[in-house]
Amino acid sequence: MLTGVQVVLAGGDARQLEVIRRLTEQDASITICGFDRLETSFPGVVRAEWQPSVLRQADALVLPPVGTDDDGTISAIFTERELKLTDDFMDALPKSCKIYCGLAKTYLRKLAEKHHIKLVELFERDDVAIYNSIPTAEGAVMMAIQNTDITIHGSNCIVLGLGRTGLTLARTLQGLGAKVKTGVRGEDLFARAYEMGFEPFYVPDLARQTGNIDLLFNTIPNMIITAQVIAGLPLRAVIIDLASKPGGTDFRFAEKRGIKALLAPSLPGIVAPKTAGRIIANGLIQMLLEDDRQRGNAT
Amino acid sequence: MLTGVQVVLAGGDARQLEVIRRLTEQDASITICGFDRLETSFPGVVRAEWQPSVLRQADALVLPPVGTDDDGTISAIFTERELKLTDDFMDALPKSCKIYCGLAKTYLRKLAEKHHIKLVELFERDDVAIYNSIPTAEGAVMMAIQNTDITIHGSNCIVLGLGRTGLTLARTLQGLGAKVKTGVRGEDLFARAYEMGFEPFYVPDLARQTGNIDLLFNTIPNMIITAQVIAGLPLRAVIIDLASKPGGTDFRFAEKRGIKALLAPSLPGIVAPKTAGRIIANGLIQMLLEDDRQRGNAT
C-alpha cells in the first residue's frame, strides 16, 4: 500500500484516470491539477490549482506519458487552462521528490538535471515497454486494416527490429495468418525468429527482401527505409513506421514514388486508453512502493 | 479458360474490378454496364449502356454481391445513372443464362423464379463463405479495437455461433491473445471448440456466461442477444453483431441500458475490397468453368 505517500498528478488524458483510480486503491494521498472539466468524482482525491505551493509536500510528481513539450507545457485535455512546468515549480519540489513520465523530452530532462530532481521515464523500463507493445501492435494492425485493400491474413509482411515492440507485432501478425519476415541484427535474434516460424533476414539485406511485400512495419529508430529500399517496393506496399519521431523512413521519397507511408502516432493512448493507463499505473505503483520501502529503510 | 463465354457485369463497387480482371485473364468475352465514371482501362472489355439488348447473348449476368435492392435497383458506385433489373431485361436473357450475385433479396429471387432463370448465390457456397469470413473477422477486429478502450489481447470475448464466420473469428481473437468463450449448439461443435482451446458453452446458457465479458460477437441470425442477456452484461461490454440484417440483438434495449451495440455492415468490401473481389472472382470462375464444361458435354 502507498498510505501516506503524497502524489501530485498534473495534466494528461484518459490514461491518467486509470492511474488515479489505481493510486486511490493503494491509499496514496492524491492531488490532481488540470482536471477541472472532468466530471468523474474520485473519492478522497484533492483537486487543486496548478501553482508551486501544491508541490511542497510531494513525494512524486506524475506527468502525462509525454512529460512536457519543448517549452515546458504539460498537455492536459481535461482543462482549458495552461499547465507549465517552470523553475518556480521545480524550486517548490522537495529534493527527495521524483518526477514520473513516460518518455521525457530535452526540456524536461534539462530542467530536472538543473534542479537535481530525479526524473523517471516509465517507458524505459523493459516490462512497461513490453506491456505497452500490446496496444501498439493492435494499433498497427488497425492501421494496416484501414490502409490496405487486402486482408492481413495471407499478406506478405516485414517487421524491422525484433525488440520489445517488433516481437509483439510479428507475433500478432502471425496470429492473424500473415506471412512474416523479420529484419534482425545479431545471430541470436535470427535464431529466435527462425524458431518462432518467422522468416528472418539481416537488416543490411533489407533492399533484397522487399520484392513481394504488402506491408512493411518499422520499429528501428534510425533511417532504415531509405530511398533505395522504397525504390524496390511494389507500388501497392504500405509502410507503417512505429519508431518514435521522426521515424526511420524517407517519407519524402515515399510520397514522390506514390507509396503510402505512415508515421504511427503513439498508439496505446488512442486504441486502448484504459489498458494503457493500467500499464502506466502498474509500473508507477511498483516504483512508488519501492521508493517508499527505501524511505522506510532510511528512517 | 473461359474462351467464348459471354459474361455481362452490371454495377458494383471496387470488388467487381478484381472480378473483371480475373475474367479477362480467363479470356471470357466481357461486357460491363455501369462503369462509365471508372478510368481504369480493361483491354478487350466492352463498355455498354444498361439496356435489355446487351443481355441477348449472355451466358452469365454478374450482379454486385448484394444483387439488387427491393425495387430491383443494382447498386453501382462507378456511374451516376440508375441500373434496374426489370422484366424487360429478364425477357432478353437466354433461358440458359444464369444470374450470379453474393446473396439475393426477395425481389431478385422472385424475378428469377418468374422468368425461369437460374439464380446462383455465391455466398451460399461453403468455400466462398469461409474465404469471406477472413475479411469479415478482420473487420470485426477493427471494430473492436475502435470501439473499446482496452486491448483485445487479454480481453474476455464471447463468439456466438461456430459456423463459417464464427470459427474464423474465434481463432482470430485467440491469435490476438483474447480469452475466447464460444456459444455453440451440438455436442460435436462443443468438442471441437474444446479441442481448439476455446471455452465452449451451449447457447441456451448464454445469460449465465456474460458476467465479465468485454466483447460479445454474434454470428447467429436469430434474436439471441435478448433483453435478458443484455441485462446481465457489464456496462463496459460492447456487442458486435455480424449476423445479416436485422442481426440477432435487441438493439433497442441495449441502447436503453447504455450498452454499445453495433450491427456490422458487410465488412469484406469495406476492409479488404481487393481480397473480397478475388474471393468472388475465384468462386465465380469455378462455377462458370463448370457450366461451360456441362454445355460442352451437352453439345
Side-chain angles (χ1 to χ4, degrees):
Chain A
M1 299 289 276
L2 291 169
T3 310
V5 176
Q6 305 279 336
V7 183
V8 178
L9 274 105
D13 54 30
R15 287 175 280 186
Q16 297 305 77
L17 308 185
E18 202 59 29
V19 175
I20 298 172
R21 209 167 285 131
R22 297 294 309 280
L23 286 171
T24 310
E25 285 169 18
Q26 289 283 327
D27 197 31
S29 299
I30 308 162
T31 305
I32 60 175
C33 305
F35 289 84
D36 40 89
R37 285 201 312 174
L38 182 73
E39 283 178 30
T40 321
S41 82
F42 293 103
V45 170
V46 177
R47 289 171 187 249
E49 291 287 312
W50 177 242
Q51 47 194 27
S53 61
V54 85
L55 299 176
R56 289 245 164 80
Q57 308 291 324
D59 295 308
L61 168 60
V62 179
L63 299 177
V66 291
T68 72
D69 72 10
D70 284 326
D71 74 343
T73 304
I74 302 165
S75 79
I77 68 161
F78 297 114
T79 184
E80 265 147 29
R81 299 182 208 178
E82 192 178 57
L83 272 65
K84 250 185 154 167
L85 188 63
T86 53
D87 287 320
D88 306 354
F89 287 86
M90 297 299 283
D91 285 334
L93 280 177
K95 288 302 163 210
S96 62
C97 179
K98 291 183 184 172
I99 298 179
Y100 291 90
C101 67
L103 281 181
K105 297 191 192 220
T106 313
Y107 174 93
L108 179 57
R109 251 186 231 147
K110 284 201 173 148
L111 193 69
E113 207 174 301
K114 178 177 159 194
H115 289 270
H116 306 287
I117 295 287
K118 177 133 203 256
L119 175 65
V120 182
E121 297 177 69
L122 287 167
F123 294 171
E124 296 257 298
R125 282 176 62 118
D126 271 335
D127 60 343
V128 174
I130 291 168
Y131 289 126
N132 237 343
S133 72
I134 302 168
T136 298
E138 291 193 9
V141 161
M142 185 185 78
M143 290 178 72
I145 295 175
Q146 287 170 335
N147 286 286
T148 57
D149 55 6
I150 55 166
T151 51
I152 295 186
H153 181 281
S155 69
N156 292 298
C157 297
I158 284 180
V159 176
L160 293 173
L162 214 55
R164 303 173 297 193
T165 300
L167 186 56
T168 305
L169 180 58
R171 273 180 32 77
T172 303
L173 294 167
Q174 191 182 48
L176 288 168
K179 287 163 248 166
V180 184
K181 289 195 207 182
T182 53
V184 300
R185 291 187 205 276
E187 287 80 5
D188 50 343
L189 281 179
F190 193 100
R192 180 59 67 200
Y194 172 79
E195 174 277 317
M196 295 181 77
F198 305 129
E199 202 182 306
F201 64 87
Y202 290 107
V203 166
D205 291 335
L206 174 58
R208 281 191 291 281
Q209 301 288 337
T210 54
N212 71 337
I213 286 302
D214 299 304
L215 281 156
L216 174 52
F217 297 92
N218 177 45
T219 70
I220 301 175
N222 302 316
M223 175 53 65
I224 184 162
I225 305 179
T226 58
Q228 192 212 347
V229 172
I230 293 168
L233 282 172
L235 279 174
R236 65 168 192 271
V238 176
I239 300 167
I240 297 180
D241 197 332
L242 300 163
S244 39
K245 268 188 206 166
T249 304
D250 186 338
F251 288 100
R252 196 198 50 78
F253 187 75
E255 195 181 345
K256 195 171 157 197
R257 242 210 107 203
I259 284 190
K260 206 189 271 187
L262 307 162
L263 180 60
S266 172
L267 292 164
I270 297 171
V271 298
K274 194 166 178 173
T275 303
R278 255 184 237 156
I279 293 166
I280 293 167
N282 289 345
L284 179 66
I285 286 169
Q286 219 172 308
M287 299 202 76
L288 290 176
L289 284 170
E290 223 163 276
D291 292 349
D292 195 40
R293 218 170 297 129
Q294 281 172 6
R295 263 196 303 274
N297 291 342
T299 53
Chain B
M1 299 289 278
L2 291 169
T3 310
V5 176
Q6 305 279 337
V7 182
V8 177
L9 273 104
D13 55 29
R15 287 174 281 186
Q16 296 305 76
L17 307 185
E18 201 61 29
V19 175
I20 298 171
R21 209 167 284 132
R22 296 294 309 282
L23 286 171
T24 310
E25 285 169 18
Q26 289 283 327
D27 198 31
S29 299
I30 308 162
T31 305
I32 60 176
C33 305
F35 290 85
D36 39 90
R37 285 202 312 174
L38 183 73
E39 284 177 29
T40 320
S41 81
F42 293 103
V45 170
V46 177
R47 289 170 187 251
E49 291 286 312
W50 178 242
Q51 48 195 23
S53 61
V54 85
L55 299 175
R56 290 245 163 79
Q57 308 291 323
D59 296 307
L61 168 60
V62 179
L63 298 177
V66 291
T68 73
D69 72 9
D70 284 326
D71 74 342
T73 304
I74 302 166
S75 80
I77 67 160
F78 297 114
T79 184
E80 266 147 29
R81 299 182 208 177
E82 192 179 57
L83 272 65
K84 249 185 154 165
L85 187 63
T86 53
D87 286 321
D88 306 354
F89 287 86
M90 297 299 284
D91 284 334
L93 280 177
K95 288 301 163 210
S96 62
C97 179
K98 291 184 185 170
I99 298 180
Y100 291 89
C101 66
L103 281 180
K105 298 192 192 221
T106 314
Y107 174 92
L108 180 56
R109 251 184 231 146
K110 285 199 170 149
L111 193 70
E113 209 174 298
K114 176 177 161 195
H115 290 269
H116 306 288
I117 294 288
K118 177 133 203 255
L119 175 66
V120 182
E121 297 177 68
L122 287 167
F123 295 170
E124 297 256 299
R125 281 178 62 119
D126 272 334
D127 59 344
V128 173
I130 291 170
Y131 289 126
N132 238 342
S133 71
I134 302 169
T136 298
E138 291 194 8
V141 161
M142 186 185 78
M143 289 178 72
I145 295 176
Q146 288 169 336
N147 287 287
T148 56
D149 55 7
I150 55 167
T151 51
I152 295 186
H153 181 282
S155 69
N156 292 298
C157 298
I158 285 180
V159 175
L160 294 173
L162 214 55
R164 303 172 298 191
T165 300
L167 186 55
T168 306
L169 179 59
R171 274 179 32 76
T172 303
L173 294 169
Q174 192 182 48
L176 288 168
K179 288 163 246 164
V180 184
K181 289 195 206 182
T182 54
V184 301
R185 292 187 206 278
E187 288 81 5
D188 50 344
L189 281 179
F190 192 100
R192 181 57 68 200
Y194 172 79
E195 175 276 316
M196 295 180 79
F198 305 129
E199 202 181 304
F201 64 88
Y202 290 107
V203 166
D205 291 336
L206 174 58
R208 280 190 291 280
Q209 300 287 337
T210 54
N212 71 338
I213 285 303
D214 299 303
L215 282 157
L216 175 52
F217 297 92
N218 176 45
T219 69
I220 301 175
N222 302 317
M223 175 52 65
I224 183 162
I225 305 181
T226 59
Q228 192 211 347
V229 172
I230 293 168
L233 281 172
L235 279 174
R236 64 167 194 272
V238 176
I239 300 167
I240 298 179
D241 198 331
L242 300 163
S244 39
K245 269 188 206 166
T249 304
D250 187 338
F251 287 100
R252 196 198 50 78
F253 188 75
E255 195 181 344
K256 197 173 156 196
R257 241 209 106 204
I259 285 189
K260 207 189 271 186
L262 308 162
L263 181 60
S266 172
L267 291 165
I270 297 171
V271 298
K274 193 166 180 170
T275 304
R278 258 184 234 155
I279 293 167
I280 293 166
N282 289 345
L284 179 66
I285 286 170
Q286 220 172 307
M287 300 203 74
L288 290 176
L289 284 170
E290 222 163 274
D291 292 349
D292 195 42
R293 218 171 296 130
Q294 281 171 6
R295 263 196 303 275
N297 291 342
T299 54

